């Protein structure tokens, strides 16, 4: 794998929530480079330990950092193209730790090409789901990572219709696997400056293509095509 993907990220623009040197995003970049070019078990283990010790995740504290979002596609590339099996396995384990950890308070959201202020876990999970074929081919641990990513679901609204009783029905694209309704969702309305409201999904049916038909309780916030729903608990995740 080329190191260009690491160099293309503006790591200095990513916040360091603790201001501690061990959590500096530039340290994450350094560790990713070391992991990519590692040739021995010790080198791979040392690089993975750097990533697990801060900046990407802090394993002993169960904390994930904002830099994990930028690092996720790089680690996914290593799962697919890493030069050795141990590099692929290390990358896979780090991604699983990131999804299972909690972000620091006030740093649980990230801006993505698909929306501003998305829950960090959902943004990471979306990138993981995008490598579905690669991860399924990586065996049991790849499938476990995909299963964890499925829990961080999102619905993107395509069409809406207000019903006479005040309920709203909508056609949406589903990614992931939401809890059976009724369930609570965090509503993001373009231009996605911040979550607009919490809404209740009262009914949900999905076909094999991922097209979903949903019914929402009446909300004071207008829901328009392009709006996104995330699991409420994901927006509340904080260390």
């Amino acid at each position: 794998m080329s190191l260009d993907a690491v160099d293309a990220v503006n790591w200095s623009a990513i916040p360091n929530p603790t201001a501690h040197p061990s959590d500096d995003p530039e340290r994450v970049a350094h560790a990713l480079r070391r992991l990519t070019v590692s040739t021995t078990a010790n080198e791979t283990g040392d690089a993975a330990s750097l990533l697990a010790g801060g900046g990407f995740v802090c394993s002993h504290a169960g904390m994930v950092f904002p830099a994990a979002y930028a690092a996720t596609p790089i680690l996914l590339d290593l799962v697919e193209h890493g030069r050795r099996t141990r590099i692929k396995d290390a990358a896979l384990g780090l991604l699983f730790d990131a999804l299972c950890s909690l972000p620091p308070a006030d740093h649980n959201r990230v801006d993505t090409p698909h929306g501003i202020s998305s829950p960090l876990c959902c943004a990471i999970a979306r990138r993981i789901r995008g490598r579905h074929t690669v991860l399924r081919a990586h065996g049991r641990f790849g499938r476990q990572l995909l299963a964890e990513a499925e829990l961080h679901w999102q619905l993107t609204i395509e069409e809406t219709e207000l019903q006479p009783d005040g309920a709203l029905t909508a056609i949406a694209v589903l990614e992931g696997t939401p809890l059976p309704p009724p369930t609570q969702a965090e509503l993001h309305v373009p231009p996605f400056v911040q979550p607009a409201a919490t809404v209740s999904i009262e009914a949900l049916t999905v076909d094999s293509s991922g097209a979903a038909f949903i019914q929402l309780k009446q909300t004071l916030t207008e829901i328009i095509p392009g709006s996104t729903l995330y699991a409420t608990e994901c927006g509340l995740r904080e260390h």
Side-chain angles (χ1 to χ4, degrees):
M1 172 192 162
S2 171
L3 295 175
D4 291 347
V6 182
D7 296 336
V9 175
N10 184 4
W11 298 97
S12 63
I14 300 173
N16 176 353
T18 68
H20 194 281
S22 64
D23 298 325
D24 189 338
E26 293 283 2
R27 184 175 179 269
V28 175
H30 172 67
L32 287 169
R33 293 186 187 99
R34 288 183 58 178
L35 181 61
T36 299
V37 301
S38 62
T39 58
T40 68
N42 283 341
E43 288 175 350
T44 301
D46 288 346
S49 294
L50 280 175
L51 289 164
F56 177 78
V57 295
C58 181
S59 294
H60 74 269
M63 187 181 297
V64 60
F65 296 88
Y69 173 70
T72 292
I74 297 166
L75 289 170
L76 287 166
D77 283 346
L78 287 175
V79 173
E80 184 173 6
H81 301 297
R83 296 189 295 180
R84 289 169 173 78
T85 299
R86 59 175 170 266
I87 296 176
K88 296 172 183 277
D89 291 343
L92 197 62
L94 287 162
L95 289 166
F96 192 83
D97 286 349
L99 268 190
C100 294
S101 300
L102 298 175
D106 300 321
H107 289 86
N108 65 338
R109 297 183 179 275
V110 66
D111 295 343
T112 79
H114 311 286
I116 295 171
S117 200
S118 301
L120 177 59
C121 56
C122 295
I124 292 172
R126 194 172 201 266
R127 288 186 153 174
I128 289 170
R129 288 195 300 268
R131 303 291 186 97
H132 183 272
T133 302
V134 170
L135 292 170
R136 285 193 64 82
H138 203 71
R140 176 166 60 94
F141 294 114
R143 293 192 294 272
Q144 286 179 347
L145 178 60
L146 281 171
E148 185 66 28
E150 286 287 298
L151 302 177
H152 303 271
W153 54 268
Q154 70 179 69
L155 283 156
T156 304
I157 305 296
E158 293 190 329
E159 300 177 29
T160 64
E161 182 177 341
L162 187 63
Q163 302 302 308
D165 63 359
L168 185 78
T169 57
I171 296 174
V173 176
L174 172 66
E175 298 181 43
T177 306
L179 294 172
T183 189
Q184 299 298 303
E186 181 181 284
L187 171 65
H188 291 239
V189 178
F192 305 109
V193 175
Q194 59 184 1
T198 298
V199 299
S200 178
I201 301 175
E202 297 299 301
L204 169 67
T205 57
V206 187
D207 67 20
S208 58
S209 71
F213 178 82
I214 60 176
Q215 180 173 317
L216 304 170
K217 273 190 175 178
Q218 185 178 19
T219 174
L220 297 177
T221 302
E222 183 181 9
I223 301 177
I224 61 175
S227 299
T228 305
L229 301 174
Y230 297 99
T232 297
E233 57 264 34
C234 287
L236 299 175
R237 283 166 61 95
E238 285 187 353
H239 193 274

